[in-house]
Amino acid sequence: MASLCKVMLNVSSRSSLLPKQCVFATVRSLYSSDASGGDDKPPERPKSGFAAAYNLHSDLQHIGERRMMSPKEEKSFQALLRQSALLQMGPAKDKIAIGKIFHIVNDDLYVDFGGKFHCVCKRPAVDGEKYQRGIRVRLRLEDLELTSRFLGATTDTTLLEAEGTLLGLLEGKTKE
Amino acid sequence: MAAGVLTRVKQALRGPRLAAAVFSCHGQTLSSAAAAVHSPAAPTIETDATDKILNFPLTQPDYFRLSELFSIKDLFDARVHLGHKKGCRHALMEPYLFGCRLDMDIIDLEQTVDHLQQALNFTAHVAFRGGVVLFVSRRRQFAHLVETTARDCGEYAHTRYWKGGLLTNAPVQYSPGVRLPDLIVFLSTLNNVFQEHVGIRDAAKMNIPTVGIVDSNCNPSLITYPVPGNDDTPAAMEMYCRLFKMTIKRAKDKRRQMELLKGI
């Protein structure tokens, strides 16, 4: 059996044809089929080493899961994140997004498009008075957060704003 | 504004006994609840009913059922998981981060949920026992929101410039025997120049527990109950304010209800 193991391992190290998991699975199945016919299980003895650590950590996991007792099906954070629009979008450079104007100061429009920060755009010359609070607009994103590391600083300085160019009102909403 | 921050005459009637009881349960986790509570400084007679009101909630892990107030999906929709860019990251926030995507830090909501649950539970117990809660935030975008939240739940807020000795020199700046807050909730732990808010250090000096929403560029060190989460988006801030308001209202209503039952 040991010689068989050595042969399999040498095979896997020299040639990359067989994936490693495959090799070990076959080895493990060989061992288990051998052991079942062989000597009976030793009596229950106190666990040590890896087994003890595993029990301890599974208890901690149960404590963490105690709030998940609601009957309705909940998606995990990983699943929510992976399917979120922000991740599906990829890099923000030159992506078109739809935002809503939530604040106006004279000619500055504060547009929220669903990211962490809003972006501030100048009121365009064409159809200027149509841009009021609550209007949805199309914008091309440049950056989700404007940050830069200045000379002599330990962390980046952030402007707490995103950057984008206003393309126009949302089509289908403009009244002619 | 300065007078509105700390004591009002009718609030002072809550009494120093309750304040002592609150201080005696600072820093204790819920699992060691049975050890809490006979406050050594209180000479007054505690009847069985008062004991039951004060002791029994501490034996339950979630007495006010606050876990039903929010879920991971709610936090996700409020954009609580979005952090700053990688270059703005504070080294001590790394355990709370899920990862970094295209230079943008993502906060681990599985951890946030546990931290938020603990923070809300502590706030509820403090409010239940008649403690004074002070909401602090130096973000001018959300100053009005924080002040209205505090007013709606009958507590206090400080969203303006923090004078040096506000907590540490209170007997001189206000009057001797002024009552300090029993809990300070920081809805943003940075001040306007991206430095740590002075109130965190001062609260630690005065043994006042703090709850703080820490973003990926904040230092969570001195905060008693840090809650890793986004503090820049209006949606997230509205959610936190709503949660704290509901928690404090629930706790106070429960207390009023139990006192009425005791009276019967």
Side-chain angles (χ1 to χ4, degrees):
Chain A
M1 180 56 60
S3 52
L4 180 61
C5 281
K6 270 193 224 149
V7 166
M8 302 278 275
L9 286 170
N10 283 338
V11 162
S12 68
S13 60
R14 263 190 243 131
S15 72
S16 55
L17 291 173
L18 274 177
K20 275 215 163 71
Q21 294 97 348
C22 203
V23 172
F24 288 135
T26 49
V27 168
R28 208 179 297 125
S29 64
L30 283 169
Y31 263 117
S32 59
S33 59
D34 206 32
S36 58
D39 48 334
D40 45 335
K41 263 175 132 64
E44 195 70 48
R45 57 172 190 273
K47 303 204 167 142
S48 62
F50 175 73
Y54 180 79
N55 282 345
L56 177 65
H57 283 281
S58 58
D59 286 337
L60 289 174
Q61 203 176 19
H62 289 318
I63 292 170
E65 284 170 10
R66 70 165 181 254
R67 30 161 299 283
M68 297 283 290
M69 285 191 277
S70 57
K72 60 182 183 334
E73 201 47 51
E74 279 191 27
K75 271 195 194 169
S76 74
F77 169 59
Q78 284 195 23
L80 283 173
L81 188 67
R82 184 180 284 231
Q83 293 156 17
S84 70
L86 194 71
L87 256 67
Q88 302 286 326
M89 176 176 81
K93 191 98 177 72
D94 295 331
K95 295 285 194 311
I96 312 285
I98 296 173
K100 197 161 99 152
I101 302 178
F102 70 96
H103 191 61
I104 299 189
V105 176
N106 299 335
D107 274 346
D108 294 325
L109 310 170
Y110 289 68
V111 182
D112 173 30
F113 54 87
K116 183 170 161 88
F117 297 105
H118 55 266
C119 93
V120 185
C121 307
K122 277 268 178 255
R123 192 191 293 265
V126 53
D127 280 343
E129 60 288 334
K130 287 211 178 123
Y131 294 88
Q132 301 303 331
R133 229 167 266 213
I135 294 291
R136 296 172 69 135
V137 293
R138 288 172 68 235
L139 51 115
R140 178 171 50 235
L141 304 173
E142 309 294 333
D143 201 355
L144 287 178
E145 183 180 353
L146 291 170
T147 58
S148 182
R149 175 81 51 113
F150 288 91
L151 210 55
T154 44
T155 56
D156 280 10
T157 307
T158 168
L159 270 183
L160 302 180
E161 268 179 25
E163 195 188 355
T165 341
L166 202 56
L167 296 177
L169 296 162
L170 192 60
E171 271 127 47
K173 294 266 181 181
T174 54
K175 294 197 223 10
E176 288 303 297
Chain B
M1 175 261 299
V5 168
L6 295 171
T7 56
R8 274 182 284 177
V9 172
K10 63 176 169 71
Q11 301 293 357
L13 292 176
R14 282 178 189 167
R17 177 172 64 87
L18 290 170
V22 170
F23 276 115
S24 72
C25 72
H26 282 175
Q28 294 190 6
T29 61
L30 300 162
S31 56
S32 64
V37 190
H38 288 291
S39 79
T44 57
I45 304 162
E46 301 236 25
T47 62
D48 280 339
T50 319
D51 255 350
K52 198 155 174 295
I53 289 180
L54 292 180
N55 293 355
F56 180 68
L58 293 176
T59 59
Q60 314 292 310
D62 194 7
Y63 184 68
F64 302 98
R65 292 199 314 271
L66 299 165
S67 46
E68 65 194 32
L69 287 182
F70 63 95
S71 65
I72 287 195
K73 183 88 172 64
D74 295 334
L75 294 180
F76 192 86
D77 291 335
R79 307 179 224 163
V80 165
H81 59 291
L82 298 176
H84 286 268
K85 284 266 167 92
K86 189 165 82 172
C88 299
R89 191 195 301 172
H90 196 282
L92 292 171
M93 285 300 290
E94 272 163 27
Y96 303 120
L97 296 181
F98 181 72
C100 187
R101 159 87 172 172
L102 294 168
D103 268 4
M104 196 106 191
D105 284 335
I106 309 282
I107 294 169
D108 190 357
L109 282 189
E110 308 270 356
Q111 291 186 52
T112 299
V113 156
D114 290 328
H115 283 95
L116 187 58
Q117 166 71 28
Q118 285 188 32
L120 289 178
N121 194 29
F122 186 75
T123 313
H125 280 281
V126 168
F128 181 82
R129 299 165 86 89
V132 171
V133 180
L134 183 69
F135 289 91
V136 174
S137 168
R138 201 58 181 102
R139 290 295 301 264
R140 291 156 78 179
Q141 192 178 359
F142 309 117
H144 181 74
L145 174 68
V146 170
E147 288 177 345
T148 46
T149 306
R151 188 191 58 199
D152 289 343
C153 57
E155 298 294 346
Y156 305 85
H158 186 99
T159 55
R160 314 288 164 166
Y161 176 72
W162 181 281
K163 262 174 88 169
L166 203 130
L167 292 177
T168 46
N169 204 18
V172 168
Q173 285 189 357
Y174 295 102
S175 70
V178 77
R179 181 176 167 180
L180 292 182
D182 301 306
L183 172 66
I184 302 187
V185 178
F186 285 92
L187 288 160
S188 162
T189 52
L190 297 179
N191 61 15
N192 281 344
V193 282
F194 299 101
Q195 289 165 345
E196 217 188 332
H197 198 289
V198 171
I200 297 174
R201 191 200 64 195
D202 283 355
K205 280 186 187 175
M206 303 301 291
N207 283 340
I208 299 173
T210 44
V211 166
I213 311 283
V214 281
D215 205 345
S216 65
N217 58 349
C218 304
N219 183 1
S221 305
L222 281 177
I223 300 170
T224 329
Y225 290 93
V227 179
N230 184 8
D231 62 2
D232 298 301
T233 314
M237 288 301 281
E238 274 161 24
M239 211 191 86
Y240 298 134
C241 287
R242 190 172 44 90
L243 284 176
F244 278 106
K245 185 165 65 176
M246 281 162 73
T247 315
I248 292 179
K249 278 193 163 159
R250 244 187 214 202
K252 288 182 170 174
D253 289 343
K254 188 83 191 175
R255 180 57 185 258
R256 218 171 298 135
Q257 185 190 41
M258 286 183 90
E259 300 245 291
L260 284 173
L261 286 175
K262 181 185 90 164
I264 291 168

